């Protein structure tokens, strides 16, 4: 150990007696100061202009300000420029000058030589890290509730990456006596380490090894605030690999061994590394530590609970249609390993999960005149992507594995349990990710009962299917909309009121019934309400006569005539008087986290809701009118495009603040019955989500909040995380300019002073 220390000390003295080490440090400081102060200035301006920013630690060190890269990613991008210049002479200068023979003649081994020189390089890497740590300390002093653990995790990743670069540089330096060739060779090896993850991906065992060896993205895990055993082992193993190869190289020179013997030793070391790579990447052997305060890299507790209930084996199969327009995102063979990375946050909690990828070809429009067959299209595509066409399954073959026709033969994942349960896992991101919310909802169907909604038909109600403008398919049953209720964890079925409502119906939905119920249907509805069933009743002013009969009989409510109130905020469409923007009350914001103070609900042709009789329910306002100018019940005007509306109390028009949605509750047995009544069904129609209203409308949030309330918080799943507390920078612009000057001039001057001091000291000796 003493020999290693002496070699390291000597190497450091030689390093800092030369100008190259000081020039690299100076360049590193100039670049990092430029990155750091540029982003910090943006935060200080945010605080001075708006009094607040957000996620300061994250945005400064990870994401950056204004959409750019943060300090850590910026450092990673430039780091590879410094190391080859630093390590190019570590061993090559010994070889060129002949001083390597003096080392060989001394009582030290090749291992001592290599480890001593590497220790010196680690000390230099620590110095670079120390410079970055200065920025961290300054951020801690100026950012409230600074994310220490997260940011230091990223700094650890940068340190390990630097040490890995050093090990690579030392190895390349041992291969030649020319320092320039050593520097260029280090660049080449680092480039190959960035490319190796894409090699041999079409071969099962090879892809595991080469993907593991790839250096690209390894440090990103640390920067995102996650410590993973695989990434830690990767850096330590790659460092050990290149140091061992260097020792073997020096031993071959020293002992003048045959090339074959050296080759066998190198292959043995590489084989050992491959074994470590394969073992350390097994999901069951991985260990994680999320250092972020919000646990952003970890499944939320509700998702963890669902995964924990998945007893037995689980297989997640990704079905990729090569004729899909988005095939490039899931292209063979690179998607196979990317799929594993995309699933890691779930397999972390269920490591025995088996991941499969099935490639097939299917053209839903096959058979159209002049259109090539699916096989002809697939074969042509295989030629373009250099893909083996024999591995593709035909449409008939893949149909035996799963009902992909119901999914339109688009990219889809299917989870299959050991007991035979199957659920689709949609990718709403379009990037091949296993999104937490949608996946957790699908898995929940396997282990828990989900609420069932009975959608009433038979009286010309809105439909829960299709794309007709005034129906509700987009928000209720559209399988490619992540916010639709079927994708949020609800089962939906159509029912009629001519027979008793099934016991498994948890929520009844009546959307704009246009004709009156028969006495028998009223009796069926009455039984459901009497047993404590929850209900969503959406009315419309144009059909209020039929709807008021039900509302008055069971709830003591009544819909008013059409509400009007000119609102100039509706700039995206023709601003007619029958367009209203209502606001959520404090009560609904307390009940539904999806509703925020700044949100508005857009209504077209809306009625108010009045309580005319007490039926034993507690009635609370959920939405109230909030428009510029008065709102009143319009009894005269019907053409809101060409005519001008005027308030006329003489004909019975009333002007006041109206409730446009109310919530009713009462205790029935051991549960609280919940009913919601709205004066507008158009607010959740398909048409509402293709029109630009010009206001911050949150109609979709209203649906999600109502669904959460009526399902007693069961679904949609609450996958929210707490907000970070590092929300402000406590430094003024004046003080920032002073510190900026200190960083830009003080650090370089301090560095130059140290360099001059060492130079004079050496000269004096």
């Amino acid at each position: 150990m003493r020999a290693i220390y002496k070699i390291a000390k000597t190497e450091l003295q030689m390093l800092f007696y030369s100008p190259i080490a000081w020039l690299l440090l100076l360049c590193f400081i100039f670049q990092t100061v430029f990155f750091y102060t540029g982003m910090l200035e943006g935060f200080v301006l945010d605080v001075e202009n708006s009094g607040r920013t957000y996620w300061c630690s994250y945005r400064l060190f990870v994401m950056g300000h204004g959409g750019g890269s943060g300090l850590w990613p910026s450092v990673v991008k430039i780091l590879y420029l410094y190391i080859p210049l630093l390590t190019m002479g570590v061993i090559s200068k010994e070889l060129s000058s002949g001083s390597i023979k003096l080392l060989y003649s001394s009582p030290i081994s090749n291992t001592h030589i290599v480890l001593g020189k590497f220790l010196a390089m680690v000390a230099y890497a620590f110095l670079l890290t120390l410079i970055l740590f200065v920025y961290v300390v300054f951020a801690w002093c100026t950012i409230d509730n600074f994310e220490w653990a997260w940011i230091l995790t990223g700094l650890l990743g940068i340190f390990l990456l630097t040490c890995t670069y050093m090990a690579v540089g030392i190895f390349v330096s041992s291969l030649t006596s020319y320092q320039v060739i050593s520097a260029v060779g280090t660049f080449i090896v680092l480039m190959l380490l960035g490319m190796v993850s894409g090699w041999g991906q079409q071969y099962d065992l090879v892809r595991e090894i080469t993907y593991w060896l790839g250096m690209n993205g390894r440090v990103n895990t640390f920067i995102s605030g996650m410590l993973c055993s695989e990434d830690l082992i990767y850096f330590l193993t790659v460092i050990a690999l290149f140091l061992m190869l260097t020792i073997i190289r020096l031993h071959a020179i020293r002992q003048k061994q045959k090339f074959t013997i050296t080759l066998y030793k190198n292959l043995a070391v590489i084989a050992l590394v491959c074994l470590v790579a394969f073992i350390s990447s097994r999901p069951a052997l991985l260990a994680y530590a999320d250092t972020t305060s919000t646990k952003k890299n970890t499944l939320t507790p509700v998702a963890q609970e669902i995964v924990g209930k998945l007893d037995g084996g689980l297989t997640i199969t990704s079905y990729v249609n090569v004729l899909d327009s988005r095939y490039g995102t899931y292209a063979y063979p690179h998607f196979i390993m990317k799929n594993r990375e995309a699933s890691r946050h779930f397999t972390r909690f269920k490591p025995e999960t088996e991941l499969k990828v099935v490639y097939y070809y299917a053209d839903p429009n096959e058979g159209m005149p002049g259109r090539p067959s699916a096989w002809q299209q697939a074969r042509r595509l295989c030629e373009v992507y250099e893909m083996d066409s024999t591995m593709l399954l035909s449409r008939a073959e893949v149909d035996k594995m799963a009902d992909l026709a119901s999914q339109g033969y688009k990219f889809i994942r299917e989870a299959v349990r050991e007991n035979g349960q199957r659920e689709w896992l949609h990718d709403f991101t379009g990037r091949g990710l296993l999104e937490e919310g949608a996946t957790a909802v699908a898995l929940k169907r396997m282990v828990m009962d989900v609420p069932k909604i009975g959608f009433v038909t038979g009286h010309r109600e809105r439909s829960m299917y299709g794309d007709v403008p005034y129906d509700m398919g987009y928000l209720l049953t559209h399988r490619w909309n992540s916010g639709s209720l079927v994708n949020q964890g609800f089962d939906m079925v159509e029912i009629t009121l001519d027979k008793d409502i099934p016991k498994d119906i948890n929520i009844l939905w009546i959307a704009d019934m246009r004709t009156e119920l028969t006495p028998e249907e009223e009796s069926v509805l009455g039984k459901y309400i009497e047993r404590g069933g929850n209900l969503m009743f959406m009315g419309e002013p144009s059909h209020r006569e039929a709807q008021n009969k039900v509302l008055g009989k069971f709830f003591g409510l009544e819909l008013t005539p059409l509400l009007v109130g000119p609102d100039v905020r509706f700039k995206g469409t023709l601003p007619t008087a029958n367009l209203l923007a209502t606001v959520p009350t404090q009560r609904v914001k307390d009940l539904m986290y999806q509703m925020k103070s700044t949100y508005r609900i857009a209504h077209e042709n809306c009625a108010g809701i009045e309580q005319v009789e007490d039926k034993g329910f507690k009635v609370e306002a959920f939405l109230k009118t909030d428009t510029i100018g008065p709102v009143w019940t319009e009894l005269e005007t019907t053409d809101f495009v060409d005519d001008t509306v005027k308030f006329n109390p003489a004909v019975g028009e009333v002007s006041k603040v109206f409730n446009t949605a109310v919530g009713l509750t009462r205790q029935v047995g051991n549960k609280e019955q919940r009913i919601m009544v709205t004066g507008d069904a158009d607010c959740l129609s398909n048409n509402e989500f293709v029109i630009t209203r010009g206001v911050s409308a949150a109609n979709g949030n209203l649906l999600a909040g109502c669904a959460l309330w009526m399902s007693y918080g069961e679904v949609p799943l609450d996958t929210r995380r707490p907000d970070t507390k590092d929300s402000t920078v406590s430094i003024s612009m004046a003080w920032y300019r002073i510190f900026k000057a200190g960083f830009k001039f003080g650090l370089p001057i301090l560095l130059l002073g140290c360099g001059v001091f060492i130079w004079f000291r050496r000269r004096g000796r």
Side-chain angles (χ1 to χ4, degrees):
M1 190 66 191
R2 184 177 298 177
I4 295 175
Y5 170 75
K6 287 184 177 180
I7 293 174
K9 182 179 178 181
T10 303
E11 187 68 29
L12 279 175
Q13 288 176 340
M14 295 176 61
L15 185 65
F16 282 102
Y17 286 157
S18 69
I20 184 67
W22 297 103
L23 288 175
L24 290 177
L25 279 177
L26 194 62
C27 291
F28 185 76
I29 288 176
F30 275 128
Q31 281 194 291
T32 53
V33 165
F34 175 78
F35 294 145
Y36 182 75
T37 56
M39 287 180 288
L40 186 61
E41 183 175 4
F43 298 141
V44 176
L45 287 173
D46 283 348
V47 172
E48 290 205 350
N49 294 335
S50 62
R52 181 180 175 84
T53 181
Y54 59 94
W55 293 357
C56 293
S57 309
Y58 170 66
R59 294 175 66 203
L60 183 57
F61 288 96
V62 181
M63 186 184 75
H65 188 273
S69 296
L71 181 60
W72 289 168
S74 299
V75 170
V76 170
K77 291 177 182 178
I78 65 171
L79 199 58
Y80 78 97
L81 298 173
Y82 293 88
I83 307 307
L85 299 176
L86 189 70
T87 61
M88 63 183 181
V90 173
I91 295 179
S92 62
K93 68 175 183 290
E94 310 280 4
L95 296 174
S96 61
S97 65
S99 59
I100 190 70
K101 295 179 181 179
L102 296 176
L103 291 174
Y104 287 162
S105 63
S106 60
I108 56 175
S109 66
N110 296 320
T111 302
H112 289 147
I113 297 172
V114 173
L115 293 182
K117 290 181 176 293
F118 177 69
L119 183 59
M121 294 298 101
V122 169
Y124 193 91
F126 181 78
L127 184 58
L128 294 176
T129 307
L130 195 60
I131 293 172
L132 298 177
F133 184 70
V134 172
Y135 306 138
V136 175
V137 172
F138 183 77
W140 169 66
C141 295
T142 56
I143 296 176
D144 296 339
N145 301 300
F146 184 68
E147 291 263 8
W148 264 112
W150 183 354
I151 302 309
L152 289 182
T153 301
L155 188 58
L156 172 62
I158 292 174
F159 174 72
L160 291 174
L161 180 67
T162 307
C163 292
T164 305
Y165 285 173
M166 297 290 192
V168 173
I170 290 174
F171 168 68
V172 178
S173 179
S174 70
L175 299 178
T176 177
S177 59
Y178 298 98
Q179 295 188 26
V180 174
I181 295 178
S182 173
V184 174
T186 303
F187 279 116
I188 293 174
V189 174
L190 293 179
M191 178 188 68
L192 294 178
L193 284 175
M195 297 170 55
V196 68
S197 60
W199 296 352
Q201 293 294 293
Q202 63 270 35
Y203 307 109
D204 293 340
L205 181 60
V206 176
R207 85 164 62 97
E208 294 276 350
I209 303 301
T210 58
Y211 191 84
W212 187 90
L213 287 174
M215 192 177 293
N216 280 350
R218 285 289 180 181
V219 75
N220 292 341
T221 307
F222 292 86
I223 292 176
S224 66
M226 175 70 87
L227 285 173
C228 178
S229 61
E230 181 182 1
D231 297 306
L232 281 170
I233 293 173
Y234 170 82
F235 283 117
L236 297 178
T237 303
V238 173
I239 289 172
L241 167 65
F242 283 99
L243 293 182
M244 292 172 69
L245 292 178
T246 307
I247 294 171
I248 293 172
R249 166 64 177 167
L250 292 183
H251 190 73
I253 297 174
R254 191 172 192 173
Q255 301 296 329
K256 296 183 179 180
Q257 287 180 341
K258 293 182 179 180
F259 173 76
T260 54
I261 297 176
T262 304
L263 179 62
Y264 291 150
K265 289 181 179 180
N266 288 334
L267 291 177
V269 170
I270 294 173
L272 179 62
V273 169
C274 292
L275 179 62
V276 172
F278 185 79
I279 294 175
S280 65
S281 61
R282 298 306 89 197
L285 300 178
L286 297 181
Y288 301 88
D290 191 346
T291 61
T292 63
S293 62
T294 62
K295 304 302 177 187
K296 64 182 277 301
N297 303 300
T298 306
L299 292 181
T300 53
V302 64
Q304 291 183 41
E305 179 186 1
I306 292 170
V307 175
K309 293 182 179 180
L310 288 168
D311 299 327
L314 178 69
T315 302
I316 298 179
T317 304
S318 300
Y319 291 96
V320 182
N321 184 359
V322 297
L323 301 183
D324 190 343
S325 59
R326 296 189 302 170
Y327 169 70
T329 305
Y330 320 106
Y332 177 85
H334 304 287
F335 174 70
I336 296 176
M337 295 305 295
K338 290 181 180 179
N339 179 52
R340 192 191 74 173
E341 295 298 319
S343 309
R344 178 180 281 191
H345 54 305
F346 276 94
T347 56
R348 170 184 173 184
F349 296 97
K350 193 171 178 61
E352 67 273 21
T353 302
E354 184 179 0
L355 301 175
K356 295 181 179 179
V357 181
V358 173
Y359 286 89
Y360 69 99
Y361 61 93
D363 183 4
N365 300 315
E366 187 175 15
M368 294 180 62
R371 190 177 184 87
S373 68
W375 169 243
Q376 290 174 326
Q377 297 178 58
R379 188 169 56 184
R380 189 180 305 122
L381 187 139
C382 287
E383 294 174 357
V384 173
Y385 283 91
E386 298 182 354
M387 182 177 175
D388 184 5
S389 61
T390 60
M391 64 167 289
L392 298 180
L393 299 182
S394 66
R395 179 172 177 172
E397 291 172 320
V398 80
D399 281 343
K400 296 177 182 178
M401 302 174 63
D403 181 20
L404 295 176
S406 64
Q407 305 302 314
Y409 293 102
K410 296 183 178 180
F411 173 81
I412 192 75
R413 290 184 177 95
E414 186 181 36
V416 182
R417 292 185 72 185
E418 198 173 44
N419 60 11
Q421 286 181 296
R422 313 170 76 98
E423 284 292 340
W424 298 113
L425 308 180
H426 290 91
D427 172 26
F428 296 114
T429 67
R431 303 192 301 272
L433 304 179
L434 201 62
E435 194 267 326
E436 178 181 348
T439 304
V441 165
L443 297 179
K444 181 175 182 177
R445 293 178 180 274
M446 292 182 164
V447 295
M448 306 175 188
D449 293 331
V450 297
K452 180 178 281 190
I453 297 176
F455 201 87
V456 175
T457 63
H459 292 269
R460 296 167 54 205
E461 294 89 352
R462 308 290 177 97
S463 173
M464 70 177 191
Y465 298 112
D467 300 323
V468 175
Y470 292 101
D471 287 335
M472 300 179 172
Y474 180 74
L475 276 185
L476 300 186
T477 59
H478 198 296
R479 65 172 179 262
W480 301 114
N481 173 24
S482 61
S484 67
L485 290 188
V486 294
N487 288 325
Q488 290 295 323
F490 289 91
D491 285 337
M492 298 198 67
V493 295
E494 287 186 331
I495 65 171
T496 58
L497 298 178
D498 56 358
K499 55 185 177 182
D500 288 343
I501 298 172
K503 297 292 184 182
D504 62 345
I505 296 296
N506 307 101
I507 302 170
L508 198 66
W509 195 301
I510 302 176
D512 188 21
M513 70 172 199
R514 305 187 180 193
T515 58
E516 294 183 3
L517 301 181
T518 65
E520 292 76 16
E521 290 173 327
E522 284 188 359
S523 175
V524 170
L525 179 60
K527 290 179 183 179
Y528 174 81
I529 296 173
E530 190 64 27
R531 84 184 193 202
N534 293 348
L535 173 65
M536 178 72 167
F537 190 100
M538 305 190 74
E540 275 285 322
S542 55
H543 309 115
R544 55 190 292 266
E545 290 78 10
Q547 295 161 10
N548 278 344
K549 186 176 180 181
V550 173
L551 292 175
K553 179 176 181 178
F554 295 111
F555 311 119
L557 301 178
E558 181 178 271
L559 297 179
T560 69
L562 175 68
L563 300 181
V564 297
D567 192 334
V568 296
R569 288 174 297 184
F570 288 100
K571 298 176 181 178
T573 56
L574 186 64
T576 56
N578 60 331
L579 291 177
L580 300 177
T582 61
V583 296
T585 63
Q586 186 58 48
R587 179 57 176 161
V588 79
K589 285 182 282 188
D590 294 339
L591 292 173
M592 309 172 189
Y593 69 83
Q594 294 93 338
M595 302 303 295
K596 298 181 180 179
S597 301
T598 57
Y599 286 168
R600 298 292 182 270
I601 305 300
H603 296 281
E604 183 175 5
N605 298 325
C606 181
I609 303 170
E610 306 280 357
Q611 184 176 11
V612 295
E613 187 179 353
D614 186 356
K615 292 290 187 177
F617 289 92
K618 180 182 179 181
V619 181
E620 298 176 289
F622 278 5
L623 297 176
K624 288 181 174 291
T625 54
D626 171 46
T627 187
I628 300 174
V631 176
W632 67 90
T633 54
E634 180 59 43
L635 300 177
E636 296 180 312
T637 306
T638 57
D639 185 351
F640 297 103
V641 176
D642 297 321
D643 289 353
T644 301
V645 296
K646 293 182 180 180
F647 174 54
N648 185 5
V651 297
E653 295 178 351
V654 178
S655 177
K656 63 176 184 178
V657 175
F658 293 90
N659 297 330
T660 59
V662 297
L664 291 77
T665 56
R666 70 174 179 180
Q667 200 68 26
V668 178
N670 60 355
K671 79 165 189 174
E672 182 183 70
Q673 183 179 24
R674 297 178 176 180
I675 295 168
M676 182 169 176
V677 179
T678 70
D680 176 29
D682 293 325
C683 65
L684 298 182
S685 67
N686 297 330
N687 195 53
E688 191 59 46
F689 296 91
V690 297
I691 295 179
T692 302
R693 293 297 192 187
V695 298
S696 179
N699 294 29
N701 294 69
L702 175 65
L703 174 68
C706 295
L708 183 75
W709 180 61
M710 285 192 285
S711 67
Y712 304 100
E714 186 176 351
V715 282
L717 296 179
D718 186 0
T719 56
R720 292 176 299 163
R721 289 179 170 81
D723 293 332
T724 57
K725 297 179 180 179
D726 55 335
S727 57
T728 186
V729 177
S730 55
I731 182 175
S732 66
M733 180 56 70
W735 276 106
Y736 161 75
R737 292 193 178 98
I738 294 174
F739 283 112
K740 180 180 179 180
F743 279 123
K744 282 191 172 183
F745 302 106
L747 285 179
I749 290 173
L750 179 63
L751 183 67
L752 286 174
C754 292
V756 171
F757 172 78
I758 292 176
W759 181 74
F760 274 111
R761 185 179 179 185
R762 182 193 180 192
R763 190 176 180 185
R765 288 182 177 179

